[in-house]
């Protein structure tokens, strides 16, 4: 990172940092084991809300607006869990193909389009 810190809005609108790289957060919020446990029972939409809201401010993106954007984005998915984890033998696989174009990119771009 050779660029100055920017707002969530600037990061989203710019796409790439001026140096051609990706924007990364200045810090990643630390969660206690209890907080992680509480998150584990949330729906994908609720979990997305809790994670994304830690990287923006209420002034930039009010929580109720973020919630509405996420609900609209995830409504386009054909599976009620949006990105279900399925067991295949001894493996657990995250399915990322239940969006409107059947591509993993739908997970990010349905949300981004709503911003």
């Amino acid at each position: 990172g050779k660029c100055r810190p920017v707002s969530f809005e600037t990061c989203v609108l710019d796409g790439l940092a001026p140096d051609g790289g990706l924007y990364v957060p200045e810090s990643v919020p630390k969660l206690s084991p209890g907080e992680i446990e509480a998150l584990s029972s949330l729906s994908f939409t609720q979990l997305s809300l809790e994670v994304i809201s830690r990287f923006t401010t209420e002034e930039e993106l009010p929580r109720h607006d973020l919630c509405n954007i996420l609900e609209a984005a995830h409504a386009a998915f054909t599976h009620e869990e949006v990105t279900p984890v399925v067991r295949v033998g001894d493996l657990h696989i995250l399915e990322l193909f239940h969006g409107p174009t059947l591509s993993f990119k739908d997970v990010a771009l349905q949300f981004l389009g709503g911003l």
Side-chain angles (χ1 to χ4, degrees):
K2 298 177 184 174
C3 68
R4 62 176 175 71
V6 299
S7 67
F8 179 82
E9 179 182 15
T10 298
C11 176
V12 170
L13 292 176
D14 285 357
L16 293 175
D19 63 5
L22 298 176
Y23 285 109
V24 295
E26 290 182 272
S27 64
V28 176
K30 294 189 182 342
L31 301 173
S32 71
E35 289 172 309
I36 293 170
E37 180 66 28
L39 293 174
S40 71
S41 65
L42 299 179
S43 70
F44 187 78
T45 300
Q46 293 167 327
L47 179 60
S48 299
L49 176 64
E50 294 305 319
V51 171
I52 295 168
S53 66
R54 295 171 190 261
F55 294 95
T56 186
T57 65
E58 182 69 20
E59 293 77 32
E60 279 188 307
L61 184 56
R63 188 176 177 87
H64 68 276
D65 290 345
L66 176 57
C67 184
N68 290 339
I69 292 166
L70 289 166
E71 287 174 350
H74 298 157
F77 284 72
T78 59
H79 197 285
E80 67 179 299
E81 293 178 30
V82 182
T83 58
V85 176
V86 297
R87 187 174 182 152
V88 178
D90 292 335
L91 300 174
H92 291 83
I93 298 174
L94 178 64
E95 293 183 346
L96 300 174
F97 56 81
H98 294 285
T101 70
L102 307 177
S103 171
F104 70 94
K105 294 179 274 189
D106 289 334
V107 177
L109 296 179
Q110 288 297 306
F111 165 68
L112 191 59
L115 290 174

